[in-house]
Amino acid sequence: MARPAEFDRDEAVAKAIRVFARHGYEAASTSDLLESMGIGRQSLYGAFGDKRRLFLEALRRYSGGSLAQMQAALEANRPALEAIEAALLVGLGSCDDLETGCLGVGSIVEFSRSDPEVNALNDDAGRAVLAAFADRLAEGVQAGELPPSLDVEAASRMLLTLRSGLKVAARGGSDTEELRRTARLALGGLA
């Protein structure tokens, strides 16, 4: 009978996310992961299978958490463009703490379209973000806050692209005010 894990899986995955966000998949060594997670090699393999399975679980968890932050911002009781701005700016990370970088964007840059499992996770996350933006944009149109001629699908794609770019800019050193001005400029085109 296998021994039960002697560590908090959620905490270990959260720590692995930070290591992968800092280094990427390939450059994150097993030693880095073990040290950060505070577990032994046998525990890693017993609980996760291998570094790849750990990465996939970390990416899935990161994407779910990022989407939850965005949805909370989008669902807040405020005008559509204010809610969308908040969703664009939540959880961007920074250059001051490289471990807050976007695991999703990082994995797209690192893997491109070469890994079907990473692709599937990122594609699912992208569809969920598009749907969340589309829902809020449609509500804004319905409430008369946005023009009825707005192409909600195209606007949602623009917002997804903008969010990815904002994450890269944050990692590259842009401060919160620069990111906010960028988001507002883009959002002005929707009004």
Side-chain angles (χ1 to χ4, degrees):
M1 183 171 164
R3 281 183 6 181
E6 296 177 6
F7 61 91
D8 182 316
R9 185 183 187 96
D10 288 338
E11 185 179 318
V13 172
K15 289 177 179 176
I17 288 169
R18 294 182 63 83
V19 172
F20 287 128
R22 172 179 278 279
H23 300 289
Y25 171 75
E26 197 61 44
S29 72
T30 302
S31 296
D32 291 337
L33 289 162
L34 295 175
E35 183 178 332
S36 177
M37 294 166 71
I39 64 174
R41 191 172 297 274
Q42 207 50 37
S43 293
L44 175 102
Y45 294 123
F48 302 103
D50 58 18
K51 176 182 156 182
R52 177 176 166 65
R53 293 283 141 217
L54 172 60
F55 178 76
L56 293 171
E57 185 170 332
L59 180 58
R60 188 177 302 106
R61 171 93 54 85
Y62 176 85
S63 297
S66 181
L67 178 62
Q69 287 181 315
M70 289 182 62
Q71 285 177 318
L74 288 168
E75 292 168 2
N77 186 19
R78 58 183 131 187
L81 290 181
E82 287 180 25
I84 292 168
E85 178 184 318
L88 286 169
L89 298 173
V90 70
L92 294 179
S94 78
C95 67
D96 296 325
D97 182 0
L98 294 179
E99 293 181 349
T100 62
C102 180
L103 197 56
V105 171
S107 69
I108 291 168
V109 170
E110 184 170 0
F111 289 95
S112 187
R113 297 297 291 175
S114 67
D115 187 302
E117 288 179 287
V118 172
N119 294 347
L121 289 172
N122 285 326
D123 291 348
D124 287 347
R127 281 190 291 274
V129 170
L130 285 171
F133 278 137
D135 287 348
R136 192 61 179 101
L137 288 166
E139 288 172 11
V141 169
Q142 190 74 5
E145 298 171 354
L146 296 169
S149 61
L150 181 68
D151 183 337
V152 170
E153 183 181 332
S156 298
R157 291 203 168 283
M158 184 270 297
L159 293 171
L160 174 61
T161 302
L162 176 60
R163 178 148 165 93
S164 298
L166 290 171
K167 286 183 172 202
V168 172
R171 181 96 181 227
S174 293
D175 65 31
T176 303
E177 190 50 39
E178 291 171 326
L179 298 169
R180 185 176 314 285
R181 284 196 325 263
T182 301
R184 285 183 177 166
L185 179 65
L187 292 174
L190 299 179

